[in-house]
Amino acid sequence: MKYGVVLRPKPTRTVTGDAYTIREEEGSVLLGLADGLGSGDEAARASRLAVACIEEHAFLPLIDILQRCHFALRNTRGVVLGLLRIDFGAGQVRFAGVGNIGIYALTREPFHPISYNGIVGYRLPRVHEFVAPYYPGDLFVLYSDGINGAFHGNENLLRTGQDPQEIAETIARIYGRPDDDVSVLVAR
């Protein structure tokens, strides 16, 4: 599997309030994208704590990871968080998310998961884990609210054999908002 990542702070800041993790285990990979509420140092602290919690509990089911992060972040601003696990052996992909972390999947079989309204560390909603078949070559994009979701319709960008890093950079450049932290994580 190949990955592409772009994290860019809000223009008035020197640090981004977003963070990510890619945890490859034997036979699977776990992707996490966290966006700390607001921007700047406190948002960065919250998103870094979320990533540390994800990495510590990466072996757990996605819903359990979200719950662990919720308790770990109670004394922070909180984050919105998306988790994607691809299990190559089982041929499955799983997603669970809270808040406005977006996901787009360009897959052989339809996969349209959503994130549930809430804030990890403040108000954790009842979350559903979305499950679908995984096939080699499927493309997944996790992105923060600093990205305009209009890229979903750009089939020239998403259906090409471009490297995931090039895709992430193009999405950030064309669809990134100029007034917010920008984060995009692409996996193929």
Side-chain angles (χ1 to χ4, degrees):
M1 187 139 242
K2 292 185 177 181
Y3 311 100
V5 179
V6 173
L7 294 177
R8 185 175 72 212
K10 185 176 181 175
T12 58
R13 302 287 187 169
T14 58
V15 64
T16 179
D18 300 350
Y20 76 96
T21 185
I22 300 171
R23 292 288 305 231
E24 292 182 328
E25 303 290 332
E26 189 172 324
S28 70
V29 63
L30 174 64
L31 308 174
L33 185 63
D35 180 351
L37 268 58
S39 60
D41 293 333
E42 288 302 309
R45 183 173 86 79
S47 64
R48 285 192 307 263
L49 282 171
V51 164
C53 184
I54 294 165
E55 291 175 349
E56 180 180 349
H57 302 290
F59 59 92
L60 293 174
L62 300 182
I63 302 298
D64 293 346
I65 296 171
L66 284 170
Q67 290 171 341
R68 298 282 177 109
C69 290
H70 178 64
F71 290 115
L73 294 170
R74 292 211 285 191
N75 292 320
T76 70
R77 286 185 176 186
V79 300
V80 294
L81 179 61
L83 298 171
L84 181 78
R85 177 174 281 134
I86 302 167
D87 185 331
F88 304 110
Q92 284 188 330
V93 60
R94 297 173 174 276
F95 176 81
V98 174
N100 55 0
I101 291 293
I103 179 169
Y104 180 74
L106 186 59
T107 53
R108 189 181 301 180
E109 293 192 27
F111 183 50
H112 304 289
I114 60 168
S115 291
Y116 289 85
N117 289 334
I119 300 168
V120 177
Y122 179 66
R123 187 181 65 80
L124 188 67
R126 181 177 294 259
V127 178
H128 176 76
E129 184 176 277
F130 295 85
V131 182
Y134 165 77
Y135 297 94
D138 285 350
L139 176 81
F140 303 95
V141 182
L142 294 174
Y143 58 97
S144 70
D145 64 342
I147 297 288
N148 177 336
F151 74 87
H152 294 196
N154 189 338
E155 291 188 16
N156 291 331
L157 169 65
L158 300 172
R159 290 198 184 273
T160 67
Q162 271 189 309
D163 181 70
Q165 184 62 39
E166 291 176 37
I167 295 171
E169 290 171 5
T170 301
I171 290 170
R173 186 180 70 253
I174 296 173
Y175 300 98
R177 290 181 35 201
D179 61 344
D180 200 357
D181 293 333
V182 168
S183 59
V184 60
L185 171 57
V186 178
R188 172 180 281 153

